[in-house]
Every structure is written in C-alpha cells, then in structure tokens.
Amino acid sequence: MKVSVQAVAVWGKIAPSHSITAIMITDDQQTIVTGSQEGQICLWDLSSELKISSREILFGHTASVTCLAKARE
C-alpha cells in the first residue's frame, strides 16, 4: 500500500534568513528541531494536523549546526 505525505514548509510563505542544515523530529512526533548554518537551533511545535508553529530559537553556537542527536535519560 502506498501512502502519500503532504510536504510541509516550516517557515510559511517567506523563507527564513538562515539556512537550515539539520532537521530532526522527536519520538513523540510533536516537536521538530532544526539547526542552521548560522549556529541557531530552532524548536517547532507540530500538531496532529501537521500544522507547524515556532516555539523557541536557541543561540550560542559559534559554528554551523550540521548534525542533531537525541540524548537518552
């Protein structure tokens, strides 16, 4: 059985001023995490209807974020 998934843009109609270089979705599929070339990490809320809204942006990296990983408890 083939399932089609609709594409989702995480920034709406206007692209962000930073380049996304890494993306990850949490195990509960409620949060998307993106890393950027400018060293920012962004957290996005993902609803069950696939609506995305920004939650917070984290600053502090001095280099590009090219990889994201989940930590275990």
Side-chain angles (χ1 to χ4, degrees):
M1 181 170 90
K2 189 174 183 178
V3 177
S4 67
V5 177
Q6 188 175 24
V8 177
V10 296
W11 52 79
K13 294 181 181 182
I14 301 173
S17 59
H18 64 275
S19 302
I20 294 174
T21 52
I23 189 166
M24 178 185 75
I25 189 165
T26 57
D27 289 335
D28 63 7
Q29 298 181 351
Q30 294 181 0
T31 304
I32 296 174
V33 183
T34 58
S36 75
Q37 188 172 6
E38 290 73 23
Q40 303 159 346
I41 295 176
C42 300
L43 303 178
W44 308 84
D45 290 323
L46 177 62
S47 73
S48 58
E49 297 83 27
L50 297 180
K51 294 187 182 206
I52 298 172
S53 57
S54 60
R55 184 186 327 160
E56 53 190 308
I57 187 166
L58 308 171
F59 298 92
H61 288 87
T62 57
S64 297
V65 178
T66 58
C67 183
L68 296 166
K70 295 178 265 188
R72 299 195 187 263
E73 293 181 17

